Amino acid sequence: MRYLLLILVLICSPLLADTGEMPPEQQMAMSYIDAYTNHDYQKLATFYNRDSVFVDVTAGRSYTGSRHIIDFLERAHRGVLEYEFNIEHMFNSGSLVVMIGNYHFKGPGEQFGKPGKIIDIAIPGVTTLNLDLLNHRVTKHQDFIDYQTMADQLSAQ
């Protein structure tokens, strides 16, 4: 009976874990991604300063400074109905946080060359964040997005 109880405790203990056990870097990254995907630009602005950099490596785009980053995100997300980052794996090495998953977009087709349609796509990607925990800032946000998969999904819609 004692062994059965021990086995149950060992099996169930991971299920009882909460974000309090998550490293502070990952907690900050999750708070940032929440603001990012919920289009909470006021909260996002608190994560940036004039030296923050946002880079979409695969698209060859880069923005520096809170104002330029927010302006870009507001344009890019205009009219988006749903936007999520489904994180399948996350890890960090000190202040570098790596998130692997897929970005899910649902919104107007005009932004994707499909006028008059509502498009729904899930794009594999990796997002890395360099964080300044002391000042609660994202110093660098880098996206590596599989735009070929996006193009394939768009052609089918």
Side-chain angles (χ1 to χ4, degrees):
M1 182 68 170
R2 196 173 0 163
Y3 294 111
L4 181 60
L5 185 58
L6 179 62
I7 290 171
L8 279 173
V9 168
L10 290 174
I11 290 172
C12 293
S13 60
L15 300 175
L16 301 175
D18 66 320
T19 58
E21 295 179 24
M22 190 181 286
E25 294 85 359
Q26 292 182 25
Q27 289 179 36
M28 183 177 157
M30 293 302 294
S31 178
Y32 169 77
I33 289 295
D34 181 60
Y36 180 72
T37 57
N38 284 306
H39 310 184
D40 187 344
Y41 303 115
Q42 188 172 6
K43 184 174 180 184
L44 268 180
T46 68
F47 285 98
Y48 302 131
N49 63 22
R50 66 181 179 184
D51 299 320
S52 295
V53 178
F54 182 100
V55 182
D56 184 335
V57 177
T58 43
R61 301 273 182 175
S62 180
Y63 303 90
T64 301
S66 180
R67 185 175 45 115
H68 293 93
I69 295 169
I70 298 293
D71 286 348
F72 161 71
L73 294 175
E74 286 177 334
R75 283 191 317 274
H77 298 158
R78 190 168 291 127
V80 172
L81 303 171
E82 294 177 21
Y83 183 43
E84 301 172 317
F85 185 33
N86 302 308
I87 301 169
E88 296 166 8
H89 187 67
M90 177 171 56
F91 61 93
N92 70 290
S93 177
S95 63
L96 172 66
V97 178
V98 178
M99 295 170 283
I100 303 166
N102 66 71
Y103 282 96
H104 171 247
F105 295 94
K106 185 174 184 179
E110 285 79 10
Q111 292 182 336
F112 299 94
K114 301 280 185 171
K117 291 188 173 188
I118 298 293
I119 56 98
D120 193 350
I121 54 178
I123 311 163
V126 175
T127 293
T128 65
L129 302 175
N130 294 84
L131 305 175
D132 174 353
L133 235 55
L134 182 63
N135 296 305
H136 197 72
R137 297 286 187 259
V138 173
T139 57
K140 189 171 192 178
H141 172 146
Q142 288 189 104
D143 282 336
F144 301 85
I145 306 296
D146 181 355
Y147 288 115
Q148 183 57 55
T149 294
M150 181 179 91
D152 293 346
Q153 289 179 26
L154 287 171
S155 69
Q157 292 190 39

